[in-house]
């Protein structure tokens, strides 16, 4: 398994304007934040009640990959991961479409995994070209009437389970079942599925609805009433935005036929580096340190995750939530922003190049494509004058765009950092998820902000419910 390429003395620090010496001077603070993060995990594991300033303490995500893998290797089919794999196999054999219902961390990680690791046009391919893997769609993350109606139209167009293309199922993710966006969507899709099953079918609602929820709550009660064949738990001590490597992300990934063991193994690799490597050679600590120093000393309070692959846009949006909900408290916290290049060089690029000097641009670069490089190629119609570039490939053009934009930022003394992913696969993605989750927690501890919980999100929910009940 290849690690994420990380050379702090070169690629990472060179373009940020932060010297290696400055990072090492921050080293004691970063080491203390790492120790505090590890102590948080020990306290959570021991079941100790958190201090008031550490409540909630959702540190369970840190060693979750190790726990899941150890259980799987010991108990195989009886383990949680074994059950996930068995349910995924059953759904793949049964249905052609699946809708994943959830909001925030209940769907963003799964969407990021799908977009990064599957064929870009997965849902448009024939069942054979998909290897009999279901088409996967996402809803319950908004209350957009027309968007939901459009997906209901798609799922209801065949009207019965007689043909393979008409068979579909629901994965619904909500710890309590009380999140209105997801609960409303679940009711709508459940009603449609129930009406579809009124025609002769060997399947029941309980076969085709897979909840991922808490041990108690509205969704748990509904799952019992539906006699759901498989019910999975949202793990204790793991907040939604930290749940991508739990069943919340693993079940959709397994349904898509992805190697979830390697996803977890990648996260374990990053945990080992986080725990053992020193400042200056530790991607978690160094990323947190550089971000902190640039915000403190250069006013870089906007963090642009500049992904150089369309397949990583959902990954960037996952990180937006992670950073915003974790550190956006007490009138503090950097503003996250995802840019997809080269697309956004033609929109946000102008502001990044000549706008307010409040940004750190972190380039996420995929070094190796999955497919053979496409050449520009010769053409008898050379009015576009591209024959001069006929031997160049699209990866060649992408590399030139990365180097050209970085040089433009560097010439104007605008900080950038490069994070290289060897390729887009499950191992690399597992490392990247874990790196950014750990770095976010470390930075929170470094600046005295509890990175867990999201009390500000609750205000809109309370107001929305009050308005609906009063009108």
């Amino acid at each position: 398994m290849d690690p994420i390429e990380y050379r702090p003395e070169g690629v990472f620090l060179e373009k940020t304007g932060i010297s290696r010496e400055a990072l090492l001077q921050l080293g004691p603070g970063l080491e203390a934040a790492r120790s505090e993060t590890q102590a948080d995990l020990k306290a959570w594991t021991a079941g100790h009640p958190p201090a008031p300033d550490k409540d909630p303490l959702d540190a369970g995500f840190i060693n979750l990959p190790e726990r899941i893998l150890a259980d799987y290797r010991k108990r195989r089919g009886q383990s949680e991961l074994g059950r996930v794999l068995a349910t995924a196999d059953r759904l793949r054999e049964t249905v052609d479409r699946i809708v994943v219902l959830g909001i925030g961390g209940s769907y963003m990680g799964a969407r990021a995994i799908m977009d990064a690791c599957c064929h870009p046009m997965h849902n448009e391919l024939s069942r054979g070209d998909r290897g009999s893997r279901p088409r996967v769609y996402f809803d319950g993350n908004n209350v957009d009437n027309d968007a939901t109606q459009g997906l209901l139209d798609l799922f209801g167009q065949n009207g019965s389970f007689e043909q393979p293309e008409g068979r579909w199922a629901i994965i619904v993710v909500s710890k309590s079942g009380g999140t209105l966006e997801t609960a409303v969507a679940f009711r709508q899709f459940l009603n449609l599925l129930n009406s579809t099953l009124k025609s002769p079918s060997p399947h029941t609602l309980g076969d085709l609805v897979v909840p991922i929820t808490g041990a108690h709550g509205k969704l748990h009660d509904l799952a019992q009433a539906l006699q759901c064949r498989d019910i999975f738990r949202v793990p204790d001590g793991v907040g939604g935005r930290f749940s991508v490597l739990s069943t919340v992300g693993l079940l959709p990934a397994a349904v898509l036929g992805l190697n979830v063991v390697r996803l977890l193994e990648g996260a374990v690799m990053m945990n080992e580096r986080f725990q053992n490597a020193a400042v200056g050679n530790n991607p978690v600590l160094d990323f947190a340190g550089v971000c902190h120093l640039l915000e403190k000393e250069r006013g870089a309070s906007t963090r642009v995750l500049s992904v150089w692959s369309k397949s990583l846009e959902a990954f960037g949006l996952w990180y937006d939530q992670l950073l915003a909900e974790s550190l956006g408290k007490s009138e503090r916290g950097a503003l996250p922003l995802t840019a997809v290049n080269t697309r956004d060089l033609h929109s946000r690029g102008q502001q990044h190049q000549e706008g307010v000097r409040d940004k750190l641009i972190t380039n996420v670069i995929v070094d190796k494509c999955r497919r053979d490089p496409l050449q520009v190629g010769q053409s008898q119609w050379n009015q576009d004058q591209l024959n001069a570039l006929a031997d160049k490939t699209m990866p060649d053009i992408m590399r030139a765009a990365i180097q050209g934009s970085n040089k433009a930022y560097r010439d104007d003394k605008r900080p950038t950092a490069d994070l290289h992913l060897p390729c887009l696969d499950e191992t690399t993605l597992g490392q990247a998820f874990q790196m950014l989750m750990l770095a976010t927690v470390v930075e929170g501890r470094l600046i005295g902000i509890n990175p867990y919980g999201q009390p500000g999100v609750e205000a809109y929910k309370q107001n929305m419910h009050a308005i609906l009940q009063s009108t």
Side-chain angles (χ1 to χ4, degrees), residues 66-80:
E66 287 89 341
R67 288 187 282 130
I68 291 174
L69 286 173
D71 185 39
Y72 177 62
R73 287 162 181 158
K74 181 179 180 180
R75 299 195 299 139
R76 290 295 176 180
Q78 301 303 311
S79 68
E80 180 183 49

Side-chain angles (χ1 to χ4, degrees), residues 410-452:
R410 185 169 61 251
D411 290 347
D412 199 43
K413 296 182 172 57
R414 292 177 181 264
T416 64
D418 291 350
L419 180 65
H420 286 264
L421 308 185
C423 59
L424 277 183
D425 65 11
E426 296 92 333
T427 303
T428 300
L429 200 62
Q431 292 182 75
F433 280 133
Q434 195 73 358
M435 172 192 162
L436 292 177
M437 289 190 290
L438 288 169
T440 300
V441 170
V442 165
E443 187 176 1
R445 294 310 186 203
L446 181 67
I447 63 178
I449 286 179
N450 184 359
Y452 304 116

Side-chain angles (χ1 to χ4, degrees), residues 72-297:
Y72 177 62
R73 287 162 181 158
K74 181 179 180 180
R75 299 195 299 139
R76 290 295 176 180
Q78 301 303 311
S79 68
E80 180 183 49
L81 184 56
R83 291 179 56 232
V84 164
L85 295 172
T87 300
D89 287 344
R90 178 176 68 81
L91 291 175
R92 281 201 304 271
E93 294 170 358
T94 304
V95 303
D96 189 65
R97 288 188 174 97
I98 291 177
V99 59
V100 178
L101 303 177
I103 194 168
S106 294
Y107 94 97
M108 296 183 79
R111 181 61 186 262
I113 294 170
M114 177 179 176
D115 286 4
C117 294
C118 291
H119 190 288
M121 296 292 113
H122 174 84
N123 284 347
E124 305 303 318
L125 298 176
S126 69
R127 186 167 177 83
D129 287 339
R130 284 182 274 121
S132 298
R133 299 168 184 174
R135 298 178 170 98
V136 175
Y137 303 83
F138 297 87
D139 206 279
N141 50 60
N142 210 322
V143 281
D144 185 318
N145 181 77
D146 292 351
T148 298
Q149 187 62 257
L151 193 54
L152 288 166
D153 290 342
L154 179 66
F155 275 62
Q157 65 185 4
N158 289 305
S160 77
F161 271 51
E162 293 179 4
Q163 299 298 323
E165 293 77 9
R167 299 173 189 156
W168 58 280
I170 300 170
I171 296 174
V172 54
V173 187
S174 177
K175 189 167 188 177
S176 68
T179 302
L180 191 58
E181 293 91 337
T182 302
V184 168
F186 183 38
R187 172 170 290 199
Q188 293 163 340
F189 281 93
L190 182 63
N191 285 342
L192 177 62
L193 184 58
N194 185 49
S195 66
T196 303
L197 285 174
K198 287 181 180 178
S199 58
S201 171
H203 307 291
T204 67
L205 281 174
D207 294 331
L208 300 169
V209 174
V210 182
I212 304 174
T213 189
H216 308 282
K218 297 175 181 177
L219 180 55
H220 178 271
D221 293 345
L222 184 50
Q224 296 292 331
L226 294 170
Q227 298 182 325
C228 291
R229 179 171 172 176
D230 298 299
I231 303 174
F232 293 96
R233 287 279 303 277
V234 174
D236 294 330
V238 178
R241 60 187 176 275
F242 296 96
S243 67
V244 60
L245 299 176
S246 74
T247 302
V248 172
L250 297 178
L251 179 58
V255 164
L256 288 161
L258 300 176
N259 191 327
V260 294
V261 170
R262 289 193 174 182
L263 189 71
L264 293 166
E265 288 174 342
V268 170
M269 290 173 65
M270 186 55 64
N271 274 345
E272 292 172 351
R273 297 177 76 184
F274 168 62
Q275 293 161 6
N276 300 315
V279 175
N281 195 34
N282 187 311
V284 172
L285 299 183
D286 296 354
F287 184 71
V290 166
C291 290
H292 171 70
L293 288 171
L294 280 166
E295 185 174 354
K296 180 181 178 181
E297 299 182 6

